[in-house]
Amino acid sequence: MYLRLATGQILQDSVCTAFCDKGIELETLRLHRDRLAQVQPALRSKLDEYYRLAPIIVSRIDSTDNSDAVYSEVFDQMVEPTNAALRIGDDEEAVRIYSEGFDRLKSVYLK
């Protein structure tokens, strides 16, 4: 089992579960998120929704028997691919991966 810092934010909790620190992955996401949200109102809206719903999703993930596995999956399927797209300058793909990942989490944990 990993040592985790529970923050109520899905992406941060997944990174903390995987690596026990915030790491470059979250800093990269935040930097680009803030830049993109300034010019994409739809992304700003999605981020507002994320910050509103993430604590509920985190609470529900934490109540499962396999929360470490879920956070590792979020990291592998959402954080890493989003960062990979950002590293090559593919903002559109990064937003798509982030949005689809968050929508998947909502469909599973907000039924």
Side-chain angles (χ1 to χ4, degrees):
M1 175 175 254
Y2 296 103
L3 172 65
R4 279 199 325 106
L5 169 66
T7 64
Q9 300 304 321
I10 302 161
L11 299 181
Q12 186 168 338
D13 282 5
S14 72
V15 171
C16 290
T17 296
F19 297 108
C20 298
D21 72 20
K22 295 179 185 177
I24 192 70
E25 292 84 2
L26 283 177
E27 294 306 316
T28 299
L29 283 174
R30 287 184 183 119
L31 174 70
H32 290 285
R33 171 201 67 199
D34 293 344
R35 174 182 60 83
L36 293 170
Q38 289 178 1
V39 296
Q40 294 184 23
L43 179 58
R44 176 78 259 159
S45 176
K46 183 66 100 174
L47 289 173
D48 291 344
E49 179 185 35
Y50 171 82
Y51 283 110
R52 189 177 74 253
L53 298 177
I56 299 165
I57 294 171
V58 165
S59 175
R60 291 187 180 165
I61 291 170
D62 287 346
S63 71
T64 68
D65 292 334
N66 65 335
S67 61
D68 286 347
V70 172
Y71 288 123
S72 291
E73 184 178 304
V74 168
F75 184 84
D76 292 344
Q77 294 182 3
M78 194 172 170
V79 175
E80 273 294 325
T82 299
N83 273 324
L86 291 170
R87 281 192 296 274
I88 63 170
D90 193 345
D91 294 344
E92 186 176 315
E93 179 67 1
V95 170
R96 184 194 65 74
I97 293 166
Y98 167 85
S99 295
E100 287 179 2
F102 181 52
D103 289 343
R104 263 192 318 275
L105 291 167
K106 288 188 309 184
S107 72
V108 171
Y109 294 101
L110 298 178
K111 291 182 192 179

